[in-house]
């Protein structure tokens, strides 16, 4: 069980900005959950706090039944895709995707096979031996997504994962993400500013405003579709 339980969470930057301000949220195990809201409302900060990358001023985050205060990012069972991808420039696409397996000392052949499998679903098969510097922005984004999937974490956190893709690739990546997420029942939280994306992908949506959840429900409830 790897639902996410957030209670009274506050994150404050050194300049005094309360980017997350007393936020409560529960994401169910295996749910595909979207965070929507205007720029600056705290979406990225919330993801980073779940990942353990921002110190928490108040409240708590739990995954499953495990409270995460003081647990370092690498031990949280969380994989995150950043807006700037954070790929290793000296590694090939295949090596980047397989990196989490390499850290776990998986056999070389398994690393390659897993990289090929994940890459195929994201139309990256022809690019496995390139380096990030030889990829377009969209290709880098898909590589970052592939690497996060290869982590086999309990929880996947995605910061605007499909924002750099053209319309065709975005559709493909949506389909892949949804299928993969269903197969693995991977609890997934993704940030987007795109209502259509949230509508197409999410089981539920939280709309944030000024560091809190303003609205919460299924896409139908949030967008009041008939
Ligand atoms: P969103 O992802 O919804 O655009 P962010 O989480 O990036 O929102 O930012 C929330 C608020 O925190 C904004 O007011 C932003 O300016 C501020 N903020 C974000 N990162 C930092 C930082 N490193 N230092 C100071 N303030 C920050
Ligand atoms: P987002 O899409 O999350 O809104 P931004 O463009 O606001 O991204 O922020 C990009 C980077 O700048 C992030 O690393 C964020 O932490 C940092 N940042 C954002 N706002 C501030 C701020 N007011 N002061 C310092 N750093 C900030």
């Amino acid at each position: 069980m790897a639902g996410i339980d957030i209670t009274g969470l506050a994150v404050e930057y050194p300049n005094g900005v309360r980017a997350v301000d007393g936020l409560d949220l529960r994401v169910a195990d295996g749910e595909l959950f979207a965070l929507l809201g205007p720029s600056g409302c705290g979406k990225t900060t919330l993801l980073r706090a779940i990942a353990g990358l921002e110190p928490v001023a108040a409240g708590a985050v739990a995954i499953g039944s495990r409270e995460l205060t003081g647990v370092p990012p690498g031990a949280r069972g969380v994989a995150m895709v950043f807006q700037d991808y954070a790929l290793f420039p000296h590694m090939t696409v295949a090596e980047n995707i397989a990196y989490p397996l390499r850290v776990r000392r998986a056999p070389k052949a398994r690393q390659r096979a897993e990289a090929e499998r994940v890459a195929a679903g994201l139309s990256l098969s022809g690019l496995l031996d390139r380096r990030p510097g030889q990829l377009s922005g969209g290709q880098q984004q898909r590589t970052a997504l592939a690497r996060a999937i290869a982590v086999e974490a309990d929880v996947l956190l995605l910061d605007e994962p499909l924002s750099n893709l053209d319309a065709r690739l975005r559709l493909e990546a949506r389909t892949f993400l949804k299928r993969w997420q269903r197969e693995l029942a991977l609890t997934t939280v993704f940030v987007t500013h795109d209502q259509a994306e949230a509508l197409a992908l999410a089981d539920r949506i939280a709309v944030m405003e000024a560091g809190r959840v303003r609205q919460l429900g299924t896409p139908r409830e949030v967008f009041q579709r008939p």
Side-chain angles (χ1 to χ4, degrees):
M1 286 294 285
I4 307 170
D5 229 319
I6 299 166
T7 43
L9 186 70
V11 179
E12 193 172 298
Y13 286 109
N15 60 358
V17 173
R18 275 229 156 188
V20 175
D21 190 13
L23 180 140
D24 297 300
L25 184 65
R26 180 172 280 191
V27 178
D29 185 33
E31 192 169 28
L32 183 47
F33 194 95
L35 284 177
L36 264 175
S39 183
C41 71
K43 304 182 295 295
T44 295
T45 304
L46 175 57
L47 278 201
R48 292 178 54 85
I50 296 169
L53 300 170
E54 295 295 344
V56 159
V61 176
I63 292 180
S65 52
R66 191 159 73 116
E67 214 268 284
L68 293 179
T69 305
V71 176
R76 292 186 168 216
V78 161
M80 181 158 171
V81 176
F82 299 92
Q83 266 182 324
D84 64 359
Y85 320 134
L87 296 171
F88 301 112
H90 60 289
M91 291 185 196
T92 64
V93 167
E95 287 163 350
N96 265 284
I97 297 172
Y99 181 76
L101 295 155
R102 188 173 128 195
V103 169
R104 273 181 270 140
R105 301 183 192 283
K108 274 248 155 58
R110 169 144 187 262
Q111 291 181 31
R112 180 75 192 191
E114 182 66 11
E116 284 175 3
R117 191 165 73 93
V118 178
L122 286 164
S123 304
L124 288 169
S125 297
L127 305 174
L128 283 169
D129 296 317
R130 291 210 199 162
R131 287 174 210 285
Q134 304 167 299
L135 301 176
S136 73
Q139 291 166 343
Q140 290 182 36
Q141 191 166 40
R142 279 178 284 143
T143 303
L145 186 56
R147 184 179 59 187
I149 285 167
V151 171
E152 293 177 359
D154 298 323
V155 168
L156 185 58
L157 305 173
L158 307 171
D159 196 351
E160 306 246 7
L162 312 181
S163 61
N164 242 325
L165 307 181
D166 65 32
R168 185 181 62 84
L169 285 172
R170 178 173 307 142
L171 216 62
E172 236 176 72
R174 271 186 199 167
T175 305
F176 173 79
L177 184 61
K178 188 134 191 167
R179 178 164 53 82
W180 201 279
Q181 196 269 341
R182 286 287 178 261
E183 261 170 37
L184 302 177
L186 197 57
T187 306
T188 304
V189 182
F190 71 101
V191 162
T192 181
H193 59 258
D194 180 353
Q195 292 199 1
E197 192 129 291
L199 195 61
L201 281 175
D203 297 315
R204 284 192 307 151
I205 296 169
V207 183
M208 286 181 67
E209 191 180 284
R212 293 181 186 216
V213 173
R214 170 81 196 277
Q215 233 191 320
L216 176 71
T218 63
R220 192 177 280 239
E221 286 162 355
V222 168
F223 298 122
Q224 299 184 323
R225 294 278 162 126

